[in-house]
Amino acid sequence: MARFPEGFLWGGATAANQCEGGYREGGKGLSISDICTGGSRKQAKRITPVLEEGTFYPSHEAIDMYHHYKNDIAMFAQMGFKVYRFSIAWTRIFPKGDESEPNEAGLLFYESLIDECIKHNIEPLITISHYELPFHLTKEYGGWANRKLIDFFMNYCTAIFNRYKGKVKYWLTFNEINGAMGNLGNFLSLGILNEGTTDFMNQVDDPQKRFQGLHHQFVASAKAVQLAHEIDATNQVGNMIIYATTYPLTCKPEDAIAAQKQNQNFNYYCTDVQVKGKYPTFANRIWNDYGVTLDIHDGDMETIAAGTVDFISFSYYMSSCTSADPAKKGEGNLLGGTPNPYLEASEWGWQIDPQGLRYALIDLYDRYRVPLMVVENGLGAIDTIEEDGTINDEYRIDYLRKHIDAMAEAIADGVDLRAFTPWGCIDLVSASTGEMAKRYGFIYVEKYDDGSGDFSRRKKKSFDWYKKVIETNGEDLSS
Ligand code: BGP
């Protein structure tokens, strides 16, 4: 029996702020990612509200997809992509975010990009907001903590839903919305720049604003779902979370409770609101623990209930362990937690766990019973160009092969999985560390962290491998 259903959407994923560049072209406004400097695993990127002369800002040029998209989409087509997940930069459509009319040049750019996908029989899957709020909305309004952002977001959605009607069917509202359950989400997801924050990894936290901002995003997302359906009944809108598979560090009951709590906080809080249309039973406990009082307006909960998503999409890179013992709370990986002694980690400390993906799929499907899409997964690694010009990224193939096998197992377990779009199908800037050195692509881009590189593209070994995976609908994973 086939391991993957017919029509399974194989493809890849990127985000505007990490690949486009052209940060001032076509009338684009400054986004929150445009004010983040380069960084590395050891040196956190900085947030600079005023651009500094002589400082390297990776999003300004990124991999210059703004000028290379036709070539890049043709290469995706060569691999046989059925779907391409990308994001629209809000700042190309509404450069400041609070204008009443959209910027035609921005609308045209994405129209051309979408047409290019369609020309190659690639289904566009669009993330509406992926870590690039217009900076003006941070500066003047305080980011998503301000309720006015709901209306600004709706203007943006109205413009793109109408313009791309009939061409785009799949939409995701907010990238990794549950990133706002943690400290990093203040700025990255919500555009909230608390006083004293300069270091991206160690932001000053304000849980009151963070949870309020998240509430505004829930209302905005639900309104967007309804609007998308109104404009075109065939539109399918998903949410997008980071799924963090969480194991108790030991079988000690306290550790199991700690893991369960972490699961509720991180994996279910947002998903319950967006899929079930209401806050979960444990929400009060979370708000009380943080000393948060939410301002929920009349009608908000009705809006949320009426705007539940059609499917769940999520990113999955790693798992983590949770312990009730504060002394054991080490630096597991980006998700926090404690290292798992049974797993190996990538060079960036992300613990590799294909079984964790199978677990994630079964857990989400059992709890929510809506179709699932894995819209990010992959190995960030240092790639080397050999003397003969090849890039033998067997380690990436090995990572993806195991995760594809895990997806096949989950499907056999009864999960309704529709799509797989590995992250950074073409090398791009890392979101957490702001560097090019951490590469995910099937396509190598000659762009480096000192700003050098001519943006030329070349296929890695994984390019032909993934082509065969798609051709055989996931049956042949050999290299
Ligand atoms: C997710 C983001 C992406 C992306 C990816 C890999 O959190 O949605 O934007 O970049 O992770 O992370 P990184 O780039 O930090 O390696």
Side-chain angles (χ1 to χ4, degrees), residues 307-319:
T308 54
V309 291
D310 301 305
F311 62 92
I312 295 173
S313 77
F314 66 101
S315 64
Y316 175 82
Y317 292 93
M318 60 190 137
S319 61

Side-chain angles (χ1 to χ4, degrees), residues 15 18 130-131 175-176 240 317 350 376 423 429-433 438 440:
Q18 290 165 260
H130 193 133
Y131 296 159
N175 182 61
E176 299 193 332
M240 196 313 195
Y317 292 93
W350 293 15
E376 284 188 34
W423 177 249
V429 177
S430 154
S432 56
T433 56
K438 189 180 187 189
Y440 287 87

